[in-house]
Amino acid sequence: MSFYIASSPHTRQRRTTARLMQLVIVALIPGILAQWYFFGWGVLLQLLLAITTAYVAESLCLHARERSSLSALRDNTALVTAMLLAVSIPPLAPWWVIVIGVAFSIIVVKHLYGGVGQNLFNPAMAGYVVLLISFPLQMSSWVAPVELTGQHLSLFESIHLMLFQYTSEGYSVEQMRMVASGTGLDAVAMATPLDHIRTDLSQGLTLSESLQAPLFSGLAGLGWQWVNLAYLLGGLFLLQQRVIQWHIPAALLASLALLAALGTLLAPDQLPGIDIHLFSGGTMLAAFFIATDPVSAATSNRGRLVYAALIGLIIYLIRSFGGYPDAIAFAVLLANMCVPIIDKYTRPTTYGHPRRKLQ
Amino acid sequence: MSSLVHQFSHEDLLRNRDDIAAGKLWQFPGGIHPPQRKELANKTAIRRLPPPPRLLIPFKQHIGQPGTVLVQEGDHVLKGQPLTAPGPNSGLPVHAPTSGRIKRIGEHPSAHPSALPVSTIELLSDGEDEWTEKHPIADYTALSSSELIALIAEAGIAGLGGAAFPTAQKLAADGQLDYLIINGVECEPYIVSDDRLMREHAAGIVRGIRILQHISGVKNVLIAIEDNKPEAIRAMQDACSGTESLAVRIVPTRYPSGGERQLIQLLTGREVPANGLPKDVGLLMQNVGTAYAVYRAIILGEPLLERVITLTGEALQQPGTVWAMLGTPVDTLLKQAGYVPYPNARVIMGGPMMGFTLPTLDVPIVKGSNCILAPAKRELPASTTEMACIRCGACADVCPASLLPQQLYWLARDHDHDGLREHHLADCIECGACAYVCPSEIPLVHYYRQAKADMREQYIEKQKAEIAKERFEARKARLEREKQERLERHERAAEARKRALAEREAKAAETAPASGTETTGEPSKPANDRVAAAIARAKAKKAEQQKAAQATENPEGQANAKPEAQTESSNSAEALKASPDDVSQTAPGSDPENDKKARIAAAVARAKAKKAAQQGSD
Ligand code: SF4
Ligand code: SF4
C-alpha cells in the first residue's frame, strides 16, 4: 500500500491569499457604493475598465513568463490592485487613463519586478503617480458631489464623456467646470475639497473663509466625509476579520491626526485641522486598504508602526506644503522606499539572543 | 546560571524569583490556535493490550550512542532483560519489553520520515510476559544522586516528551538550579498521552517528581498544564496537595506553549540563551511521562518497557490511548484501534504540527514516539498549490522564536547560507506555526529543514575538503622533506667520496701502498638510512591501507555500521541545534565517507533535527 508523504505541519489554516483578497474586495464595497452615490456612474465604469484591463494584463504577463495563468489569477491580487486604482482616479476621467494606469501597475510595477510578492512599490499607487504626472489635467478633474449638483450625469452621458471626453451635447468636463463656477449652475466637475482649500489659500484666503464654500457644508467636504466613513467601515471589517492588523491604520491615522492638531495649534488659519485631514481625500482608503498592502509594507509589527507613521507624516507635509493637493500615492511610494531600512532596524530579537540596544 | 547573571541584574533576579513564586505567567511571542481535536482520544482510559506477537526493538532509541548487543539470535529472553549494554558517552540500554525468543538481529526500517533501516532486534513474544528479576528500591532517599542517576540510565529512560534525550545525562549536568519544571502542557493537537497519564497516574508522577527533586537538589517544582485539560489539572493538584514545593501552573492553550523554550519563557520570563541549555538559566525540565517512568524504574524496579501512545484520527474506529510496548509495530497498534485504510492514506507519527508521515507501517514505536495519527481523507487539509509569498507577515506574527520566517524562506530559496545564519535559522524550532498560517500555503518548515541539511552537508564537505587538503599538504611536505634528505645524503656521500678520494690520493702521494678499507665505512651509512626509510614508508603505507579498508568495509551489512552513521549524524543534528549560529563549532565527520553515507547522514540529520525540535519536555 502506498502512503501519502508530506512535510509537517500536516494541517493549515484554510485562509488562502485568494480568500484574503476576496475579503478585501468585500470590504471595499461600502466605499464604492458611497462613491457611486455621491459621484455618479463614473466610478463603476472605471472599476469595470480597470478589472478588465487587470485580467488581460495579468494573463498576458503570466503567459509571457510561462506561469500557469489560472492559478495565479485566482489569487485575486491583480483584482485588488485594479480596484484600488479605479476608486482613486476621477470618476469621469477618459477611458484610456485607467487602462494605461492599470496596465502599468500590473505589467511594470508588479511583473517586471518579478510578480506577486516581489514588487518594491505598491502597484496601484505607482500607477496613480504615473498617471498624475503624465495626465495632470485629466487626473485633477474630479466630479462634484451629488449634493451640489442635485443629480448625476446619466449612465449614457457618463459613458459618452469617458469615451469621447464630451457629453452628447458637446460639453467637455472642463467646460462644465467653468460654466459651473461662472454661473453657479449645476456643475458636473469641480475641485476636490483638498484642492479647493489649496487654491483658496494660495490666493490669500484664510482657511475659515475657504471653508465657507458650499462644498464644506459638512464635516470635511460634502460627499467625501461619507466616502471616508464608508471606507473606515470596510477597514474595521478587515480588522475584525483579521485580514489586516491594527498597526498600520492606527499608526497612519494617529500620526496624521497628531500633526494636524499641531498644525491647527500653530497656524489655525493656514493649516487644515484633524477633521479635514482624516475625512477628506483618500485618507481612510489609504489607511486601511493601500498602506496595508502586505507586499510593499514593512514586515514586522514594529516596522509597520514606523512605516505607517512615516506615511502619515509625508501625507501631512505634502498636503500642507507640497505641490499636490492629496499626497497618498507619493507618501506610500516614499515609505515603500524606506522599507528595507525600516526592516533592518526593526527586526525582532530572536529568542535566546541578547536584546539589541538602541544606540 | 551564568546567563542569568547576564540577563538579569541581581535585584531583577530576586524580583524574578518572587514573581515566579507568586505564580506570575509571562508571555511568549506568536503562537497559534489550531483546532484541538483532543476529544477524539481522551475520553477513554489508557488500554493495556496483550503483548504483540512480534516486536522490533532498535538498538538506539535516544539521542546519543547505541549500546552493544548482549543477546544472540535464538536466545530466549525475559521481560525487562537488557538486550544491549550502554555504549560509551552515556548511551542507554534497551530491554526486552516482554518474554520471548530473539528471531533476528539486523537492519529494519525505523520510525523515521524515510524509514531508514537501523540495527534492530526482532523479538517473537512467547505470550507469557514473564518478568526477569526486578530490583525495587524501598527507600530512594537512602541512595545518593549519582547512584540514582545510574539506576535511571540502567532503566534506559530517555525523555518521553519526544526528544528522547537520556534523562540521566540531563540530571547529571551540574549547575545550580532554582526550578524543576514538569511539562504536562501537551500543546500539540490530537495528542492526549500525557493528559490521560496525568488523570490516571497522578500519584505515580508526583512520586517520580519527588525522586527527580531529590536527585537534582531543586527545591521548587512547577508543573505546567494547559487549561484545556481540566481533569488532568485537578488530578495533579490533588496529588500535589500537601506538598509545599510543588505547584501546578495552568497555562493558556496556545501552540507551541509546550516547547521547552517557550514554556520556560511562559513560566519564568527567562530565555534560554541561543546555543545554551535550560540549566544556563537555572532550570531543569522533564516531561510528566518521564517522571512517571522514573517512578517505575526506582520504586517498582521496572525499566522503561512501554509508554503511552495516542491512537487517533478519524480513520480509526476506536481511537484512544494505549500502553504500547516499545518496539510494537505501528500496524499492530492501528489494527487494534480499528484502522480503516484507504488508498494514498496518510499515517502520521506524532501530531499534525510536528509529526512526520510514515512511508511504511512496519516500523516500531520507540521511546520518543507519542502518537499515531491516522486522519480520514478530508480530515486534515493537505497542502494544495504553493503560491508566491505575498509578504503578509502572518508568519512573523506567529513565530514563537521571533524569527522572520518569510525572510528565512527567501534566503533558503536563494541558498544564502550566510544570510540564513545571520537570521538565526538555527533557532527555528520547526514548530510549523508559520506554515500553518501562511495564506500562500508555502511549506516553510520544509524549506528550513532542507536548508539546515544543506548547510550541514556543506559543512561536512568543507571539513572533508580541509582534511584532504591537510593530508595533501602533509604528503607534499613529507615528499619535499624526503627529497631534501635524499639530496643532502647524496651531497654528503659525494663529499665523503671526494674526501676519501682526496685522502687516498694524499696517502697515495705520501705512501705508495693504498689501504682503502676505510673508504667503505662512510658511504655505507647513507645506504643504511635509505633502507630504514623504505621500510618505514612501507609500514606507513600498509597502515593507511588497512585504515582505508576498514572504512570501506564498514557500511556493508555489519550490524553496527549503520548506527555509527546514525549517531554521528544525530549528534550533528543535535549539535546543529545546540550551536545554532555557528555550525563550524561542531567537528565530527573526520573519516572519509562515501557519498551515500553522507546522504544518509543528511537524511537522518534532517529527521533528528526535527525530532530534537520536538523538545516538548524532556
Ligand atoms: S505567511 Fe506566507 S505569504 Fe505571508 S509573509 Fe509569510 S511566507 Fe509570505
Ligand atoms: S517553524 Fe521556525 S520559523 Fe516557523 S514559526 Fe516555528 S520557530 Fe518560527
Side-chain angles (χ1 to χ4, degrees):
Chain A
M1 187 162 39
S2 82
F3 288 99
Y4 181 86
I5 302 300
S7 186
S8 69
H10 306 285
T11 176
R12 284 168 200 285
Q13 202 173 37
R14 289 175 188 262
R15 190 135 229 222
T16 59
T17 308
R19 176 90 188 110
L20 289 174
M21 293 300 143
Q22 274 170 19
L23 288 171
V24 172
I25 291 165
V26 169
L28 277 170
I29 289 175
I32 291 172
L33 288 180
Q35 264 179 297
W36 174 55
Y37 177 79
F38 289 105
F39 302 113
W41 290 100
V43 61
L44 297 188
L45 296 171
Q46 299 287 2
L47 277 168
L48 203 69
L49 276 172
I51 291 169
T52 316
T53 313
Y55 270 109
V56 172
E58 182 94 352
S59 309
L60 283 179
C61 286
L62 291 168
H63 187 74
R65 298 175 65 210
E66 290 170 2
R67 303 281 161 89
S68 120
S69 48
L70 257 176
S71 76
L73 268 184
R74 269 192 283 124
D75 73 12
N76 291 335
T77 48
L79 198 56
V80 170
T81 299
M83 291 176 76
L84 289 177
L85 187 51
V87 299
S88 307
I89 73 167
L92 290 176
W95 64 272
W96 40 266
V97 169
I98 186 72
V99 170
I100 292 175
V102 171
F104 181 84
S105 295
I106 304 281
I107 297 172
V108 178
V109 187
K110 184 170 165 193
H111 282 288
L112 289 191
Y113 272 96
V116 187
Q118 311 263 18
N119 45 294
L120 214 60
F121 295 109
N122 183 317
M125 290 303 101
Y128 183 90
V129 164
V130 164
L131 293 180
L132 190 61
I133 292 170
S134 318
F135 315 110
L137 184 67
Q138 286 82 353
M139 286 295 285
S140 55
S141 306
W142 201 272
V143 178
V146 70
E147 280 117 320
L148 292 184
T149 59
Q151 68 178 75
H152 290 310
L153 274 188
S154 67
L155 179 59
F156 171 75
E157 290 292 356
S158 304
I159 297 175
H160 206 282
L161 245 173
M162 282 173 65
L163 285 181
F164 308 113
Q165 286 94 65
Y166 292 99
T167 61
S168 54
E169 284 134 30
Y171 288 113
S172 73
V173 179
E174 275 311 293
Q175 282 168 328
M176 284 187 289
R177 182 180 196 167
M178 282 185 290
V179 169
S181 52
T183 64
L185 283 177
D186 293 352
V188 171
M190 67 185 301
T192 64
L194 288 170
D195 220 354
H196 187 88
I197 295 173
R198 155 177 309 280
T199 316
D200 283 355
L201 289 178
S202 67
Q203 287 169 357
L205 294 176
T206 63
L207 182 65
S208 41
E209 279 164 345
S210 175
L211 293 181
Q212 295 305 313
L215 186 58
F216 290 103
S217 49
L219 174 66
L222 284 175
W224 290 95
Q225 54 203 4
W226 293 106
V227 171
N228 269 291
L229 281 172
Y231 282 124
L232 172 63
L233 190 74
L236 293 178
F237 167 74
L238 289 185
L239 274 179
Q240 185 254 332
Q241 291 289 310
R242 292 169 179 261
V243 175
I244 57 172
Q245 308 275 324
W246 58 267
H247 306 81
I248 288 181
L252 193 156
L253 296 176
S255 95
L256 191 57
L258 199 77
L259 290 165
L262 253 172
T264 308
L265 267 180
L266 294 179
D269 244 12
Q270 298 300 319
L271 297 170
I274 294 185
D275 46 352
I276 303 264
H277 271 294
L278 292 192
F279 291 99
S280 202
T283 306
M284 291 299 167
L285 184 67
F288 289 96
F289 294 89
I290 295 173
T292 49
D293 164 42
V295 178
S296 52
T299 40
S300 69
N301 283 337
R302 245 175 354 129
R304 287 180 191 151
L305 288 175
V306 176
Y307 167 79
L310 182 66
I311 295 181
L313 170 71
I314 305 173
I315 290 179
Y316 185 78
L317 290 180
I318 299 184
R319 276 184 183 175
S320 306
F321 312 108
Y324 289 90
D326 205 352
I328 309 276
F330 288 110
V332 169
L333 294 191
L334 284 172
N336 286 164
M337 285 192 242
C338 300
V339 161
I341 294 190
I342 297 175
D343 276 349
K344 184 162 180 244
Y345 286 101
T346 53
R347 213 172 99 191
T349 312
T350 309
Y351 182 104
H353 288 265
R355 313 241 155 240
R356 262 167 307 165
K357 303 208 171 60
L358 292 174
Q359 276 90 8
Chain B
M1 300 251 261
S2 55
S3 287
L4 265 188
V5 182
H6 290 299
Q7 259 178 46
F8 297 96
S9 70
H10 184 65
E11 298 86 73
D12 280 355
L13 186 56
L14 291 181
R15 193 166 332 118
N16 175 264
R17 289 201 178 118
D18 287 346
D19 284 345
I20 297 173
K24 174 172 172 177
L25 287 185
W26 282 257
Q27 284 264 336
F28 67 91
I32 53 172
H33 296 94
Q36 292 289 309
R37 307 302 318 272
K38 303 242 186 200
E39 71 292 342
L40 227 52
N42 72 1
K43 298 269 178 278
T44 47
I46 308 172
R47 276 181 292 161
R48 198 168 274 287
L49 309 172
R54 171 170 162 265
L55 289 155
L56 300 162
I57 307 151
F59 285 17
K60 191 178 100 77
Q61 304 183 17
H62 59 272
I63 291 174
Q65 301 288 327
T68 44
V69 67
L70 296 173
V71 289
Q72 284 177 340
E73 291 181 6
D75 282 2
H76 185 267
V77 293
L78 293 176
K79 179 173 187 164
Q81 181 180 332
L83 301 179
T84 61
N89 307 339
S90 308
L92 291 181
V94 293
H95 302 80
T98 186
S99 56
R101 193 172 57 81
I102 307 289
K103 184 181 167 214
R104 199 176 77 93
I105 300 176
E107 303 276 287
H108 191 89
S110 63
H112 177 272
S114 66
L116 187 90
V118 297
S119 310
T120 303
I121 299 170
E122 189 175 342
L123 174 66
L124 296 185
S125 142
D126 60 9
E128 303 290 328
D129 211 22
E130 187 188 340
W131 268 100
T132 178
E133 209 181 321
K134 298 193 223 176
H135 302 284
I137 309 270
D139 177 17
Y140 67 85
T141 52
L143 297 187
S144 72
S145 291
S146 50
E147 283 166 326
L148 286 167
I149 289 174
L151 286 176
I152 288 173
E154 243 166 66
I157 299 177
L160 297 186
F165 191 80
T167 304
Q169 213 172 316
K170 216 166 166 180
L171 288 170
D174 48 32
Q176 216 206 327
L177 304 174
D178 52 11
Y179 276 96
L180 167 63
I181 296 175
I182 299 295
N183 191 340
V185 172
E186 206 165 45
C187 59
E188 173 110 20
Y190 283 94
I191 305 181
V192 295
S193 303
D194 290 346
D195 182 8
R196 286 306 320 184
L197 189 73
M198 287 187 284
R199 291 196 211 185
E200 295 172 35
H201 299 283
I205 295 172
V206 168
R207 292 189 72 182
I209 295 173
R210 306 288 293 168
I211 300 171
L212 291 171
Q213 234 180 324
H214 174 71
I215 294 173
S216 57
V218 185
K219 217 168 104 233
N220 300 305
V221 182
L222 301 175
I223 303 165
I225 310 173
E226 245 179 14
D227 60 9
N228 61 357
K229 306 178 198 29
E231 293 92 346
I233 292 170
R234 220 170 307 128
M236 289 303 290
Q237 274 169 341
D238 288 348
C240 292
S241 65
T243 319
E244 273 289 291
S245 58
L246 304 190
V248 175
R249 288 273 188 278
I250 302 162
V251 303
T253 299
R254 184 154 62 118
Y255 179 85
S257 53
E260 186 171 66
R261 287 164 186 244
Q262 282 61 48
L263 186 56
I264 284 175
Q265 195 169 19
L266 200 55
L267 294 183
T268 67
R270 301 178 190 175
E271 276 184 27
V272 181
N275 304 335
L277 292 170
K279 75 170 165 63
D280 297 335
V281 287
L283 303 169
L284 172 69
M285 190 180 292
Q286 295 289 352
N287 169 266
V288 282
T290 314
Y292 189 63
V294 167
Y295 153 74
R296 284 176 80 169
I298 304 293
I299 308 289
L300 306 182
E302 296 176 0
L304 182 62
L305 305 180
E306 58 180 13
R307 61 158 300 143
V308 184
I309 297 276
T310 307
L311 303 173
T312 186
E314 286 170 18
L316 301 181
Q317 284 167 331
Q318 297 98 35
T321 43
V322 294
W323 280 109
M325 288 181 179
L326 300 175
T328 312
V330 168
D331 50 1
T332 310
L333 286 177
L334 285 181
K335 251 178 235 136
Q336 296 273 359
Y339 177 50
V340 190
Y342 56 92
N344 208 18
R346 249 187 307 178
V347 175
I348 298 163
M349 187 165 244
M353 294 304 298
M354 292 184 73
F356 54 90
T357 48
L358 290 173
T360 162
L361 299 188
D362 191 29
V363 296
I365 293 294
V366 291
K367 292 173 185 173
S369 322
N370 52 11
C371 177
I372 309 283
L373 170 58
K377 189 126 202 124
R378 303 202 185 287
E379 188 175 349
L380 291 173
S383 62
T384 49
T385 7
E386 175 181 344
M387 307 263 260
C389 167
I390 56 166
R391 291 186 81 236
C392 64
C395 48
D397 292 342
V398 298
C399 177
S402 297
L403 295 163
L404 292 174
Q406 78 276 40
Q407 223 72 308
L408 291 173
Y409 158 71
W410 294 114
L411 293 167
R413 271 181 40 153
D414 294 346
H415 303 284
D416 180 352
H417 292 176
D418 292 331
L420 286 169
R421 265 185 286 270
E422 206 234 316
H423 278 80
H424 308 307
L425 173 64
D427 290 302
C428 165
I429 58 169
E430 295 181 20
C431 67
C434 51
Y436 177 79
V437 296
C438 176
S440 294
E441 309 216 4
I442 302 171
L444 293 163
V445 183
H446 188 68
Y447 280 101
Y448 306 154
R449 260 182 226 136
Q450 213 133 38
K452 282 181 184 175
D454 283 352
M455 285 162 82
R456 176 76 215 145
E457 221 159 322
Q458 215 183 50
Y459 171 70
I460 292 174
E461 283 303 311
K462 209 173 114 206
Q463 286 282 305
K464 272 204 302 202
E466 247 157 47
I467 288 162
K469 196 169 143 218
E470 250 167 52
R471 277 203 195 133
F472 175 74
E473 302 270 311
R475 183 162 172 273
K476 217 168 82 182
R478 196 191 67 218
L479 290 179
E480 192 62 30
R481 204 171 51 239
E482 281 173 5
K483 200 169 133 198
Q484 207 59 41
E485 281 168 8
R486 236 183 351 258
L487 273 177
E488 275 171 25
R489 272 199 310 272
H490 285 168
E491 264 166 35
R492 270 208 308 275
E495 252 168 46
R497 264 200 304 278
K498 247 189 249 161
R499 232 187 359 259
L501 200 68
E503 271 170 28
R504 220 168 29 221
E505 274 169 8
K507 260 187 205 160
E510 277 171 28
T511 57
S515 64
T517 41
E518 262 178 295
T519 52
T520 48
E522 287 258 347
S524 78
K525 228 179 201 167
N528 281 345
D529 270 357
R530 228 169 305 156
V531 173
I535 291 174
R537 262 203 304 281
K539 260 190 201 155
K541 203 164 158 198
K542 206 167 151 199
E544 230 163 74
Q545 268 167 356
Q546 266 169 357
K547 226 175 170 180
Q550 267 168 12
T552 44
E553 250 167 44
N554 245 358
E556 309 167 359
Q558 290 305 334
N560 48 359
K562 280 286 155 54
E564 237 172 60
Q566 205 192 6
T567 357
E568 192 190 295
S569 48
S570 62
N571 278 348
S572 60
E574 266 299 287
L576 191 66
K577 274 213 65 64
S579 58
D581 259 272
D582 191 356
V583 184
S584 59
Q585 285 182 2
T586 56
S590 49
D591 263 355
E593 295 165 286
N594 57 31
D595 256 355
K596 187 178 146 218
K597 207 166 159 192
R599 265 205 305 282
I600 295 172
V604 187
R606 274 196 290 276
K608 291 286 154 171
K610 180 173 103 185
K611 218 171 172 193
Q614 231 170 357
Q615 23 158 249
S617 63
D618 143 356

